[in-house]
Amino acid sequence: MNHSGSRASLAKDFERFKRELPRDFPAHVRDAYRINLAARYLGRPIPHPVGKGSGQLSLNAGQLETDAEAGLAFAVLKTVIAQDAAGAQSMAAWAIHETKMQVERRGVGWTVTWKGRGWDRSFEDYLALVRAGRDLTRAGDLSTVPSVKYHLPRLDEPFRDDEYAYTTRALAQAWGEPPLLLEKDFSPTLAGDRLADEKQQILRWLREVPQRIRAHGDVRIAMKLMNARFDDDFQVEMMDAASGADGLVVFNRLFDSTQGVAYGGSELSDRNLRVLARLTPGGSPGIPGLSGTGNIHSGRMIVEYARRGCSSVQLHTFFQLPLEAYPATDGSRTQRALHALIFDPRDGLIATLLHLAETGVLERRDGELHFLDLLPDAHRPR
């Protein structure tokens, strides 16, 4: 199919799928456009790059089932606060009830603000959610990943390994067949906390946390890095310090210390992309696999993160806009978001990949365009 034919077909699909998005839309995209959307998260293959970041949209089985039906690639569960066998939590200040989320415009985009933090129900309830996610993952419907906030000591304090041990082992047991894929959350509210005032303290966490988790189970670890209250140089230094992880989620939301809330929008994506651009071309050899997050509201923005090394992306805000903000007229918010991200004729992922092919930036291999070929190290041996 020539470029004009592909554009005409895309316009038709965009209108047609407003009413119902196909569950296996990556197969349709491959057949209709010769575009392979396959991506990676934590080294694992996923059918396309779009996943859901940890938060209020992934805290019950019903939400996960809706995401599976929509065709989402993966979902990171709400962050649980680590505990020891007696139930004590050194980071208990983060296990507070969420206030109502407020979806609002910020610049030309959207952001969601709220003052809550981590999982505020029982640990047994969280393990039940992990098992529900495990079943969806094994059925091939939706990859799910638990998220944990473990103890983070001050520079002169030891780690509370009893919390690492009990929480990691319980999650691994609930998951069953190893390895357990896990995110360690360095939340944006942590960036605003006095704990994160010292650079060397943060770097110690990033260097030591992966090994302390792995000591208690067969775990593949993604570290979700915060935007610290320092300059871009320190963001890069954080990534280098976390090179012992299997993957990095880059980077969590900005923190407004005046209002005491985390926020996103264009300020977040501008900073994230600016920092990631310092790792290209060719990538940095010590940096593990990247998953991008921050103000991802279009396929074009997905491509911006991919061209800076991100083999997948995680969204949160874009899955909770007012219904009238989506072009689709039916379906869950997850379906409507995916419809816009993939099929929008101007800024969707298909349209952007076709444009890159037309301008010679992206070349077909074996007759297909490949999303993963956007990565700077795409053709380096693995």
Side-chain angles (χ1 to χ4, degrees):
M1 183 184 294
N2 59 33
H3 294 313
S4 60
S6 295
R7 296 287 183 180
S9 179
L10 181 57
K12 290 179 181 177
D13 278 347
F14 180 65
E15 292 301 319
R16 180 161 63 113
F17 297 151
K18 283 182 178 180
R19 296 180 294 278
E20 184 177 7
L21 182 71
R23 166 66 179 80
D24 192 5
F25 65 83
H28 172 80
V29 171
R30 194 168 188 177
D31 290 342
Y33 303 96
R34 307 310 299 161
I35 293 176
N36 187 335
L37 295 179
R40 288 193 306 271
Y41 170 73
L42 261 177
R44 293 293 181 88
I46 49 178
H48 62 85
V50 184
K52 178 176 285 184
S54 174
Q56 288 296 89
L57 305 181
S58 50
L59 50 67
N60 63 60
Q63 291 170 322
L64 300 181
E65 290 162 3
T66 297
D67 290 341
E69 179 62 29
L72 192 66
F74 66 98
V76 184
L77 306 183
K78 177 71 175 174
T79 299
V80 71
I81 310 304
Q83 64 179 58
D84 62 19
Q89 297 173 309
S90 59
M91 307 292 281
W94 273 263
I96 61 175
H97 185 68
E98 300 277 358
T99 55
K100 183 175 176 58
M101 293 184 290
Q102 183 175 347
V103 183
E104 56 193 353
R105 287 279 188 182
R106 190 175 184 99
V108 297
W110 296 85
T111 188
V112 175
T113 55
W114 73 100
K115 295 189 178 182
R117 298 184 177 183
W119 181 265
D120 62 349
R121 305 175 197 172
S122 74
F123 190 50
E124 283 304 317
D125 284 348
Y126 194 80
L127 294 178
L129 179 63
V130 170
R131 288 188 287 268
R134 172 203 64 192
D135 293 344
L136 288 169
T137 301
R138 291 186 181 163
D141 296 328
L142 173 73
S143 294
T144 65
V145 181
S147 174
V148 187
K149 185 182 292 295
Y150 289 94
H151 173 239
L152 298 173
R154 297 193 180 279
L155 200 54
D156 58 349
E157 294 176 343
F159 282 84
R160 297 194 182 181
D161 283 317
D162 50 351
E163 293 186 12
Y164 280 78
Y166 180 78
T167 301
T168 305
R169 290 170 183 169
L171 291 171
Q173 183 177 9
W175 190 261
E177 183 179 345
L180 169 69
L181 271 60
L182 184 72
E183 276 197 11
K184 164 64 183 88
D185 183 18
F186 289 87
S187 69
T189 48
L190 175 65
D193 192 89
R194 292 177 62 187
L195 260 180
D197 280 346
E198 295 184 38
K199 290 183 179 180
Q200 291 307 311
Q201 196 158 273
I202 296 171
L203 297 177
R204 178 199 178 196
W205 300 336
L206 298 175
R207 284 191 294 264
E208 296 190 28
V209 161
Q211 65 196 38
R212 293 188 177 277
I213 298 172
R214 289 198 191 97
H216 306 292
D218 185 354
V219 184
R220 291 185 61 84
I221 305 161
M223 305 269 271
K224 188 171 187 178
L225 302 185
M226 62 187 173
N227 267 294
R229 288 172 293 159
F230 302 107
D231 58 16
D232 291 359
D233 288 342
F234 187 68
Q235 289 299 116
V236 176
E237 198 173 349
M238 286 171 61
M239 296 179 72
D240 287 326
S243 61
D246 301 292
L248 302 179
V249 183
V250 286
F251 296 97
N252 222 322
R253 304 191 324 146
L254 299 169
F255 187 77
D256 185 330
S257 56
T258 302
Q259 297 185 39
V261 296
Y263 68 94
S266 58
E267 294 169 75
L268 174 58
S269 55
D270 286 349
R271 186 186 201 208
N272 288 358
L273 294 172
R274 185 176 68 241
V275 171
L276 291 173
R278 297 175 58 168
L279 307 178
T280 57
S284 297
I287 301 295
L290 304 180
S291 185
T293 188
N295 191 39
I296 298 170
H297 53 78
S298 68
R300 192 172 301 278
M301 187 64 83
I302 294 172
V303 167
E304 291 299 318
Y305 275 94
R307 295 183 73 179
R308 290 162 176 81
C310 297
S311 60
S312 65
V313 294
Q314 302 185 16
L315 291 67
H316 194 266
T317 298
F318 197 66
F319 289 124
Q320 50 189 317
L321 303 186
L323 289 179
E324 60 271 17
Y326 300 106
T329 55
D330 289 289
S332 66
R333 277 185 169 81
T334 306
Q335 287 174 311
R336 295 178 192 223
L338 288 169
H339 167 259
L341 292 167
I342 305 299
F343 289 97
D344 185 279
R346 186 183 67 175
D347 291 324
L349 185 55
I350 296 172
T352 307
L353 293 175
L354 289 174
H355 173 73
L356 293 177
E358 291 166 7
T359 55
V361 175
L362 190 63
E363 297 181 357
R364 293 186 182 270
R365 287 191 292 111
D366 302 321
E368 291 185 337
L369 298 174
H370 293 255
F371 168 77
L372 287 174
D373 282 355
L374 292 169
L375 273 64
D377 64 346
H379 300 297
R380 287 188 1 203
R382 297 194 176 280

